[in-house]
Amino acid sequence: MKKIKYIFLTTLILSIFMSVSASAIDLPEPTDEFFVNDFADVIDDKVEEELQAIGVSLYNQTTAQVVVVTVESLDGYDVDEYTLELGREWGVGSSETDNGVVLLMSVNDRQVAIQVGYGLEGCLPDGKTGRILDNYAIPYLSNNDFSMGLSEAYKALVAVVCEEYDVELSS
């Protein structure tokens, strides 16, 4: 009986610890624009407007959401964990099809990540998102051209999602 109580208490304590640590990330609230959230203020205004229009058009034609986020710091959290939690907290993508994508960059940490909802993992597996970062974002980000790097990566992600849904975005 003591062993059962010990196992139960240990499981309960671990469950509480895990739920507290998972929700401990202090995430920002999304902006009214939703598709472009430049909290670090590194994306040019014109580029923000262009990406916002692309995001709205994609959503209207597919219900898929591609969201770009910049933050000053991850506050010690892992970039992938932060990005995943942000996408979940904000509800990026349709709740039925889980077709959301979050592109996140932390300026001070010099970290960038892409997290993809299950509904788009077929067309955007980890290898492909890694190549998008390597080919479209990193060349610009490494030269501190954050606006262009995020813009190019965002557009590449949207192009893949458009191909998956067999749509062309209206200009």
Side-chain angles (χ1 to χ4, degrees):
M1 186 68 167
K2 282 185 177 182
K3 190 174 187 177
I4 293 173
K5 282 183 184 179
Y6 175 77
I7 292 171
F8 175 75
L9 284 175
T10 304
T11 305
L12 180 65
I13 290 169
L14 284 173
S15 297
I16 291 169
F17 175 74
M18 290 174 71
S19 67
V20 168
S21 66
S23 64
I25 299 176
D26 186 23
L27 300 170
E29 293 293 319
T31 64
D32 292 337
E33 288 76 28
F34 189 71
F35 297 102
V36 181
N37 300 269
D38 186 20
F39 300 115
D41 197 26
V42 294
I43 303 175
D44 297 334
D45 291 343
K46 186 174 180 172
V47 172
E48 278 191 45
E49 290 173 17
E50 178 186 20
L51 298 182
Q52 177 66 20
I54 291 169
V56 169
S57 182
L58 178 71
Y59 175 71
N60 288 338
Q61 292 186 52
T62 65
T63 74
Q65 295 177 328
V66 178
V67 175
V68 61
V69 182
T70 67
V71 294
E72 290 287 336
S73 172
L74 299 169
D75 297 322
Y77 292 101
D78 175 75
V79 67
D80 292 315
E81 179 185 347
Y82 190 100
T83 308
L84 181 64
E85 287 303 316
L86 189 117
R88 287 179 178 162
E89 181 74 25
W90 289 8
V92 177
S94 163
S95 60
E96 289 103 34
T97 57
D98 197 13
N99 59 349
V101 179
V102 178
L103 167 62
L104 180 127
M105 184 189 71
S106 173
V107 177
N108 293 343
D109 300 304
R110 304 211 43 95
Q111 297 276 329
V112 63
I114 298 171
Q115 287 291 338
V116 179
Y118 290 121
L120 291 174
E121 281 187 340
C123 68
L124 283 168
D126 291 344
K128 190 169 212 165
T129 59
R131 284 189 300 279
I132 287 172
L133 289 175
D134 289 344
N135 296 330
Y136 296 96
I138 301 301
Y140 295 102
L141 299 179
S142 60
N143 290 319
N144 294 325
D145 190 351
F146 305 128
S147 193
M148 184 61 77
L150 293 170
S151 175
E152 292 298 308
Y154 188 90
K155 290 174 185 177
L157 290 165
V158 168
V160 173
V161 174
C162 284
E163 187 177 307
E164 176 71 10
Y165 283 89
D166 195 26
V167 298
E168 286 186 34
L169 296 185
S170 53
S171 304

